[in-house]
Amino acid sequence: MSISKRIVTIVFLTSIFLVFIVFAVSKKELKKPNIVFIMSDDHAFQAISAYNEKLIQTPNIDEIANQGIIYNKAFVTNSICAPSRAVILTGKFSHLNGVKGNSEVFDGSQQTLPKILQNNGYQTAIVGKWHLKSNPTGFDYWNVLPGQGDYYNPDFIKQGKDTIYKGYVTEIITDLSVNWLKNRNKNKPFFLMMHHKAPHRSWMPAIKNLGLFDEKEFPLPENFYDDYDGREALKTQMLTVKDHMDIRMDFKVPCNECDTGSVNFWAPGEYWRRLDRLSPEECQVWEDSYKKEETEFFQVKDDEAKYDQWKFRRYMEDYLRCIASVDESVGQVLNFLKENGLDENTIVVYTSDQGFYLGEHRLFDKRFMYEEAMRTPLMIKYPKEIKKETHSDLLVQNLDISPTLLDMAQVEIPADMQGNSLRKTWNKNPSEWRDAIYYHFYEKGWGVSRHYGIRTNRYKLIHFYDDVDFWELYDLKEDPSEMNNVYDEVSNEKIIAQLKTKLAKLQLQYNDADFEKN
Ligand code: CA
């Protein structure tokens, strides 16, 4: 063979080899799973039928659980909106990611899940509630609500530009998300964060859903009249259904001459500001829909027991109406994946930024380390790896989301992330898993004191500190509703000592041992 022939042969073989390599690499890229991460805001696990059938049917959200895994003990590290989002993005506790409360600005230059995925071949998008003050980073496409956002005809910030969309926020977030999926680059795997505003206060439903649950009875939770005996920290809060909701903003009764019941000077005005976003026709439908409630209000307001029941029903009706739209949204996204052959290779996560009280301990809202707020719904579907109808009672956290999704995307999990990949929880009994959850809440306001604590499978130990100094201990096996603080019982000295040791160890592990000095 002549030299020139040899060169031609070598070039030819090298080209074939290179084509093969490129093909193999791109095939591997294609094999990476797509990710749809759906998060609602303040969605209590009690209001998902996969967890509890008493309040609402959520067939589409349940479908994720039916097709995958549902976690019965999923918790947040700090039960409030912005901090939870920062934990999910970074896989780090609040004191390290810089967002301890709702007022801090997220430092978008730090390492985040979307950035790492983007650097590893993913196209990334976030649509809906962001709530971290700085502009989103690490997203090829972002279209987010400013601050808390509005329910009706809401403003958005689309890639830095002020935009307004006509319609209902949950439906708009769904349409924008599905549109992005439709127009994506089909040669790359995708990561979509679809973040709903609903069902955040003040629970304004889609106009079409204003009549939902009109006929449903809502019995008060057993501890609706909690007297807070033995629990000093609960006595100062201003977050009860009975005494701290606003007659206009929360209950939607436009009574100008009424004492609005609000502890917030801005709340009655907020009602009108939010309604002003509706068109005159929509506003008419709204006012007609709430006529019945207004009439009832005047019938019950002087009878305490009936008034309490009415308040709770008003709260539940609108809260659940908002969830009905979220469930519909989940159904639309699942359908899109199915119809486009993306069902098998897409991980779908459903969660909330934290839980919520639905009248338990008299409360609405979140913040406290008691179960209903500390717990959050979490379910994951990925047919390739997760068996249908898997239930997990392992202690998992929102801290685990970043490591899990990186693990699934075949990307190395950075050593400074503090959560664990949930991949090992998909089989019943992983050899190693955490036996306790660490929690730390910082935000001041509404009469809630700062607190931190530990939750094991059986016990919960909480220390309220800063402006107060109270300890609480609950035996969750004997007292799942956390009504009896048994911290002062002599027989518990040993378990308290053990829990305190474990707590100190977790604080050291998570680099939060020195916070009281800060
Ligand atoms: Ca929230």
Side-chain angles (χ1 to χ4, degrees):
M1 202 185 277
S2 70
I3 287 179
S4 63
K5 265 193 180 170
R6 270 188 201 167
I7 289 171
V8 169
T9 311
I10 288 167
V11 168
F12 177 70
L13 289 174
T14 310
S15 309
I16 287 188
F17 180 69
L18 284 175
V19 166
F20 175 76
I21 293 282
V22 168
F23 181 71
V25 168
S26 66
K27 194 143 190 223
K28 197 172 169 231
E29 287 294 317
L30 282 177
K31 269 190 193 161
K32 286 194 173 191
N34 303 306
I35 303 164
V36 176
F37 177 82
I38 308 172
M39 182 160 75
S40 46
D41 193 334
D42 295 357
H43 192 172
F45 70 86
Q46 310 92 296
I48 293 179
S49 43
Y51 287 110
N52 171 34
E53 295 209 88
K54 288 183 188 156
L55 290 174
I56 187 173
Q57 287 300 314
T58 51
N60 297 302
I61 297 171
D62 292 5
E63 184 65 9
I64 299 173
N66 295 339
Q67 297 297 322
I69 186 165
I70 180 164
Y71 292 93
N72 298 317
K73 290 181 181 167
F75 300 96
V76 294
T77 67
N78 179 3
S79 183
I80 190 160
C81 305
S84 169
R85 286 153 208 276
V87 168
I88 287 168
L89 286 170
T90 61
K92 293 176 186 170
F93 274 89
S94 307
H95 61 283
L96 297 181
N97 68 42
V99 182
K100 290 181 179 175
N102 274 346
S103 54
E104 279 100 342
V105 180
F106 182 71
D107 171 9
S109 70
Q110 66 186 303
Q111 165 187 281
T112 62
L113 171 67
K115 275 192 205 169
I116 301 173
L117 288 175
Q118 197 179 39
N119 290 336
N120 282 275
Y122 275 77
Q123 55 190 318
T124 57
I126 180 162
V127 179
K129 188 165 172 184
W130 170 249
H131 203 225
L132 288 168
K133 292 189 160 57
S134 54
N135 280 345
T137 53
F139 295 99
D140 299 316
Y141 172 78
W142 54 277
N143 202 348
V144 299
L145 295 162
Q148 295 282 6
D150 278 298
Y151 274 108
Y152 303 127
N153 303 320
D155 296 322
F156 273 72
I157 310 170
K158 182 184 178 183
Q159 317 266 84
K161 194 168 157 261
D162 291 345
T163 313
I164 187 162
Y165 292 97
K166 287 261 170 255
Y168 183 61
V169 72
T170 306
E171 292 164 12
I172 293 164
I173 290 169
T174 314
D175 290 347
L176 290 171
S177 298
V178 170
N179 274 339
W180 182 77
L181 288 173
K182 274 183 193 160
N183 296 313
R184 75 193 190 279
N185 173 353
K186 297 194 172 61
N187 296 317
K188 280 182 160 189
F190 61 81
F191 172 51
L192 166 68
M193 302 186 97
M194 181 168 90
H195 288 191
H196 283 300
K197 168 185 172 59
H200 192 277
R201 193 182 183 189
S202 58
W203 318 297
M204 297 177 111
I207 299 294
K208 68 175 183 187
N209 285 340
L210 284 173
L212 277 183
F213 308 112
D214 262 352
E215 306 301 320
K216 192 171 163 65
E217 293 288 319
F218 293 103
L220 298 173
E222 275 177 26
N223 55 358
F224 185 80
Y225 288 107
D226 187 348
D227 61 6
Y228 305 149
D229 185 33
R231 288 151 300 149
E232 295 305 311
L234 271 167
K235 291 178 184 168
T236 55
Q237 53 72 29
M238 293 178 285
L239 295 163
T240 67
V241 178
K242 191 173 154 55
D243 299 319
H244 302 105
M245 280 187 167
D246 183 80
I247 189 71
R248 283 182 229 164
M249 188 179 82
D250 295 312
F251 298 134
K252 323 294 186 332
V253 172
C255 177
N256 286 326
E257 58 283 5
C258 299
D259 170 6
T260 74
S262 184
V263 289
N264 309 297
F265 68 92
W266 47 265
E270 262 306 281
Y271 170 77
W272 297 114
R273 188 193 70 77
R274 290 173 193 183
L275 272 197
D276 271 352
R277 300 195 71 90
L278 290 170
S279 70
E281 296 75 25
E282 289 168 327
C283 204
Q284 192 59 53
V285 178
W286 167 281
E287 283 174 0
D288 291 347
S289 299
Y290 285 109
K291 276 277 182 315
K292 179 172 152 284
E293 281 78 6
E294 192 179 350
T295 310
E296 283 171 358
F297 164 72
F298 286 105
Q299 287 165 351
V300 300
K301 71 181 180 60
D302 299 320
D303 179 325
E304 195 176 354
K306 281 186 183 166
Y307 193 21
D308 290 347
Q309 179 73 49
W310 178 87
K311 285 175 182 171
F312 181 64
R313 190 156 59 77
R314 281 282 50 252
Y315 170 30
M316 281 303 92
E317 281 174 346
D318 286 335
Y319 181 82
L320 298 174
R321 286 166 180 167
C322 290
I323 289 167
S325 290
V326 173
D327 189 61
E328 193 178 305
S329 161
V330 171
Q332 285 170 355
V333 171
L334 292 180
N335 273 345
F336 175 86
L337 296 176
K338 211 175 272 177
E339 284 164 6
N340 289 276
L342 295 163
D343 199 27
E344 287 292 307
N345 197 37
T346 302
I347 300 163
V348 182
V349 180
Y350 185 84
T351 191
S352 169
D353 60 346
Q354 77 309 288
F356 217 64
Y357 299 100
L358 304 183
E360 302 89 356
H361 304 285
R362 303 193 198 187
L363 300 167
F364 67 97
D365 209 75
K366 49 252 182 179
R367 297 159 211 272
F368 284 108
M369 199 182 154
Y370 307 116
E371 286 293 269
E372 292 84 359
M374 184 190 182
R375 239 183 101 175
T376 195
L378 179 64
M379 47 194 83
I380 307 175
K381 167 177 122 53
Y382 184 49
K384 280 190 176 171
E385 284 195 20
I386 308 174
K387 281 195 200 126
K388 287 181 181 183
E389 295 180 0
T390 307
H391 287 252
S392 175
D393 287 325
L394 293 169
L395 299 170
V396 303
Q397 289 180 278
N398 57 350
L399 193 67
D400 300 329
I401 286 170
S402 262
T404 305
L405 297 180
L406 290 176
D407 191 11
M408 298 305 300
Q410 302 146 35
V411 177
E412 196 182 342
I413 302 164
D416 59 352
M417 282 196 175
Q418 298 178 304
N420 301 324
S421 169
L422 293 172
R423 211 168 185 176
K424 59 184 88 152
T425 68
W426 296 340
N427 293 317
K428 281 280 175 212
N429 296 306
S431 54
E432 257 182 46
W433 194 253
R434 67 168 70 85
D435 61 358
I437 295 278
Y438 179 58
Y439 182 92
H440 198 158
F441 180 82
Y442 303 85
E443 176 115 329
K444 285 193 172 186
W446 314 92
V448 181
S449 294
R450 287 182 171 168
H451 55 290
Y452 62 86
I454 181 172
R455 189 209 191 277
T456 65
N457 270 309
R458 176 154 181 188
Y459 294 100
K460 188 182 287 181
L461 180 71
I462 315 175
H463 185 209
F464 291 90
Y465 74 100
D466 201 27
D467 50 349
V468 295
D469 183 14
F470 306 130
W471 284 88
E472 295 182 2
L473 173 71
Y474 298 97
D475 180 341
L476 300 168
K477 191 175 161 207
E478 301 298 326
D479 175 28
S481 328
E482 298 161 302
M483 296 294 285
N484 303 309
N485 172 15
V486 291
Y487 184 80
D488 289 330
E489 286 182 15
V490 179
S491 57
N492 288 323
E493 275 176 7
K494 201 171 149 201
I495 183 69
I496 289 170
Q498 285 169 358
L499 288 167
K500 283 188 176 174
T501 304
K502 205 182 259 288
L503 176 62
K505 221 170 131 189
L506 284 181
Q507 287 180 322
L508 208 59
Q509 178 191 333
Y510 293 130
N511 199 13
D512 197 27
D514 296 328
F515 67 88
E516 274 182 296
K517 293 175 205 149
N518 295 334

